[in-house]
Amino acid sequence: MNKDILKRLRRYEIRIRKAINSQMQGDFHSIFKGSGLEFDDVRPYQWGDDVRNIDWRVTAKGHGTFMKTFIEEKEQTVFFLLDVSASQEIGKDKRQKIDLAKEMAGLLALSAIREGSKVGLLAYSDQVEDYVKPSKTMKHAYEIINRMFSLKPKSRKTDLDGGIKYTLNLLNKKTIVFIISDFIDENFTHSMRGLARKHDLVVVHISDKRESAIPHLGIVPLYEKESGKTVWLNTSSSEFKNAVEKTHGKNKESLADFCRRNDVNYISIGTEDDYVPKLIKLFRHRNRSNARRTR
């Protein structure tokens, strides 16, 4: 495993921990603390109880009306759906979108396991490229990082909808799910809405400025990595420039709006960004939300 990668991830993790603990009254653990509840016991009905929590199986025995009681889940699972399609291979050397995506997944995996969570990974293109079953040892975190950075996808295509559906079938209990992708695909929001209803969803939107700031080069060949085809485009035309900027901006705005409407945490990261401050902002928001839920 690349020792430089691990050193960098540990350095980022320490930086995030210090910022969270110095600027907040809450504790770092609540970042990966979900809102899941698990069944605990039953007790007699009391005036004002929510009838939706009546245990009809026990009540049917004829000894009174009984309510289900719940406790907060002691063990949280954090799961990463990582887009490894060819569209992620944009950016400077060693700072492409895919490099940034893997780095963030590695950092979050280390942090989650240090806080006692299980961590799992699905690397997906238009097929399963790798799957790591959730576990909670530090050795497991290093295994995830090693497999991510050594992965060479078999397919260059994208099927984000397929990856989300596969994740839905994998996860039985409520999980914190991070989707890390550039979201350059279509027809995935229906499945993502289903994922958000069942799980605690965090969307990490990776981008590169080259996607919306193509220089005026005249008519040039552009190679599409996913299809393996070359197309000729007039990059100097105002129509082309407007179409690129409009499409890129509209897609980003549409995804952010979807997340707001479906109670999904959203964070946008560019390959030129220092992503640690943005992660800290996201974690502050999650801490505040978790504090409101437990009041």
Side-chain angles (χ1 to χ4, degrees):
M1 188 188 301
N2 191 317
K3 291 183 179 180
D4 290 336
I5 292 171
L6 280 178
K7 285 182 180 178
R8 186 165 68 244
L9 295 182
R10 286 173 180 155
R11 186 168 66 248
Y12 287 155
E13 185 191 6
I14 291 169
R15 183 178 163 196
I16 289 173
R17 284 171 178 270
K18 285 183 177 179
I20 291 290
N21 291 329
S22 66
Q23 299 176 31
M24 298 175 57
Q25 296 298 318
D27 103 299
F28 190 80
H29 175 75
S30 58
I31 293 166
F32 297 104
K33 182 178 177 182
S35 58
L37 299 174
E38 59 183 4
F39 176 75
D40 179 41
D41 204 349
V42 295
R43 62 165 175 79
Y45 173 83
Q46 298 175 2
W47 175 257
D49 283 341
D50 189 340
V51 295
R52 290 174 296 182
N53 290 331
I54 292 176
D55 190 324
W56 293 107
R57 183 180 59 82
V58 176
T59 299
K61 294 179 180 179
H63 301 294
T65 304
F66 288 85
M67 306 296 296
K68 296 177 182 177
T69 61
F70 300 87
I71 58 173
E72 190 171 39
E73 288 180 337
K74 295 180 177 66
E75 186 174 72
Q76 181 66 59
T77 300
V78 179
F79 193 83
F80 297 95
L81 170 54
L82 178 66
D83 178 0
V84 294
S85 61
S87 67
Q88 292 272 68
E89 298 172 6
I90 294 176
K92 293 180 180 178
D93 183 41
K94 296 184 180 179
R95 194 63 179 177
Q96 293 184 337
K97 289 188 291 182
I98 189 61
D99 300 320
L100 182 61
K102 290 177 178 179
E103 191 173 285
M104 290 185 67
L107 167 63
L108 293 167
L110 278 175
S111 301
I113 284 182
R114 288 188 194 279
E115 302 309 320
S117 298
K118 286 185 174 182
V119 174
L121 168 76
L122 174 68
Y124 203 91
S125 53
D126 66 337
Q127 64 184 48
V128 176
E129 298 289 353
D130 198 7
Y131 168 60
V132 184
K133 186 177 180 181
S135 187
K136 60 187 300 185
T137 65
M138 191 53 65
K139 181 180 178 181
H140 181 73
Y142 296 145
E143 173 70 11
I144 285 178
I145 293 168
N146 185 45
R147 284 169 66 164
M148 277 195 303
F149 280 92
S150 61
L151 178 65
K152 298 186 184 303
K154 298 180 181 68
S155 174
R156 303 183 66 77
K157 298 180 180 179
T158 303
D159 182 6
L160 192 54
D161 183 64
I164 293 170
K165 287 177 178 174
Y166 197 93
T167 301
L168 270 167
N169 290 328
L170 279 175
L171 304 176
N172 296 319
K173 59 186 294 187
K174 189 163 186 177
T175 299
I176 299 177
V177 180
F178 286 84
I179 302 180
I180 306 180
S181 172
D182 58 13
F183 292 90
I184 300 178
D185 200 7
E186 298 177 340
N187 303 321
F188 58 83
T189 54
H190 180 73
S191 297
M192 195 156 73
R193 186 178 292 109
L195 191 66
R197 286 174 180 169
K198 292 185 177 181
H199 302 283
D200 181 359
L201 183 58
V202 182
V203 163
V204 182
H205 188 183
I206 307 291
S207 63
D208 185 273
K209 63 182 182 180
R210 293 164 185 78
E211 294 168 321
S212 58
I214 298 176
H216 297 279
L217 299 173
I219 299 175
V220 297
L222 292 180
Y223 178 70
E224 294 180 342
K225 289 190 173 183
E226 290 193 13
S227 66
K229 296 179 180 179
T230 299
V231 294
W232 290 83
L233 294 171
N234 184 0
T235 59
S236 297
S237 72
S238 58
E239 291 84 1
F240 173 77
K241 183 178 180 180
N242 291 337
V244 169
E245 291 179 349
K246 183 178 179 180
T247 299
H248 180 77
K250 184 178 179 181
N251 288 347
K252 185 175 181 179
E253 183 180 321
S254 177
L255 181 60
D257 182 62
F258 170 89
C259 291
R260 282 191 295 270
R261 288 186 285 106
N262 290 276
D263 196 26
V264 172
N265 292 145
Y266 173 83
I267 179 172
S268 175
I269 305 288
T271 55
E272 303 291 331
D273 293 343
D274 175 3
Y275 61 75
V276 172
K278 292 194 174 186
L279 281 179
I280 292 171
K281 184 177 179 181
L282 168 69
F283 293 164
R284 285 178 183 157
H285 173 76
R286 288 183 60 80
N287 271 313
R288 288 194 298 267
S289 297
N290 285 330
R292 285 195 295 269
R293 289 191 188 107
T294 55
R295 283 174 187 167

